[in-house]
Amino acid sequence: MKKTMYKYLVLLVFTGLLSCKSNQKNEKVESAQSVPTVSNETKEEVINDTKEWLGLIYDNNYSQSWDNAASLFQKAVTKEQWTQQLSGIVPPLGKVISREVISAEYHTELPGAPDGEYIVIQFKTSFENKNESVETVTQMIDDDQWKVSGYFIK
């Protein structure tokens, strides 16, 4: 049952948003063109906002995490679905022991998502009942603010 909800959560909320690795041909084309970016200061602010958003989830404030998410996220999953799915996934993990940033990459295009401004952040996270996992959170510009548009835990 938990695996089914987990798969549903992943498919519904994050379909295609994490498949943002380019092949070498695309990387060469991008490097020949001017690639847009954001400042390190902006990335740091978005990372801190993301940690606060994750804090809502791991403090069992699922409803508030949905309220603070991007409209794209809210259109993909209802508040009730989000709350139900997280309540089956989060408690068994236990308390967060540590969370460190692995990467934070800026993109203007992601597969399965409308063009826009995105920062895909990956964290190496250790929980009380799961030693190592990778959390991936995608933030996007929504109404002139950075907001979470996807969450995936592996």
Side-chain angles (χ1 to χ4, degrees):
M1 177 73 162
K2 289 180 187 174
K3 284 186 178 182
T4 303
M5 286 194 307
Y6 175 75
K7 288 179 184 176
Y8 182 70
L9 171 72
V10 170
L11 290 173
L12 192 58
V13 175
F14 217 69
T15 302
L17 291 180
L18 293 179
S19 304
C20 57
K21 297 283 184 198
S22 302
N23 66 32
Q24 288 182 345
K25 289 181 184 175
N26 287 342
E27 288 172 2
K28 289 178 184 174
V29 171
E30 285 180 14
S31 65
Q33 302 169 356
S34 114
V35 179
T37 189
V38 293
S39 70
N40 286 337
E41 181 180 288
T42 298
K43 279 187 184 180
E44 286 301 317
E45 288 173 15
V46 172
I47 288 168
N48 289 334
D49 289 347
T50 301
K51 288 178 181 177
E52 287 180 25
W53 186 84
L54 288 169
L56 292 172
I57 291 174
Y58 291 95
D59 285 341
N60 299 316
N61 198 344
Y62 310 140
S63 240
Q64 188 66 47
S65 70
W66 187 91
D67 289 340
N68 293 359
S71 58
L72 181 68
F73 181 102
Q74 293 172 344
K75 288 175 187 169
V77 63
T78 67
K79 186 187 289 193
E80 292 75 23
Q81 289 169 325
W82 179 246
T83 300
Q84 182 181 18
Q85 292 162 359
L86 287 179
S87 64
I89 296 167
V90 172
L93 294 172
K95 295 182 187 257
V96 175
I97 304 300
S98 66
R99 177 179 283 129
E100 72 179 65
V101 176
I102 299 171
S103 66
E105 297 179 1
Y106 177 80
H107 299 275
T108 55
E109 297 177 355
L110 291 175
D115 289 351
E117 293 187 72
Y118 299 90
I119 297 178
V120 179
I121 307 158
Q122 289 194 311
F123 298 95
K124 179 181 175 185
T125 307
S126 178
F127 296 95
E128 191 173 41
N129 301 319
K130 181 157 177 63
N131 198 22
E132 282 192 29
S133 63
V134 175
E135 292 178 292
T136 305
V137 182
T138 300
Q139 289 254 16
M140 71 179 293
I141 292 287
D142 184 36
D143 258 350
D144 295 325
Q145 294 180 30
W146 287 99
K147 293 185 179 181
V148 172
S149 62
Y151 175 65
F152 177 79
I153 184 168
K154 183 172 149 184

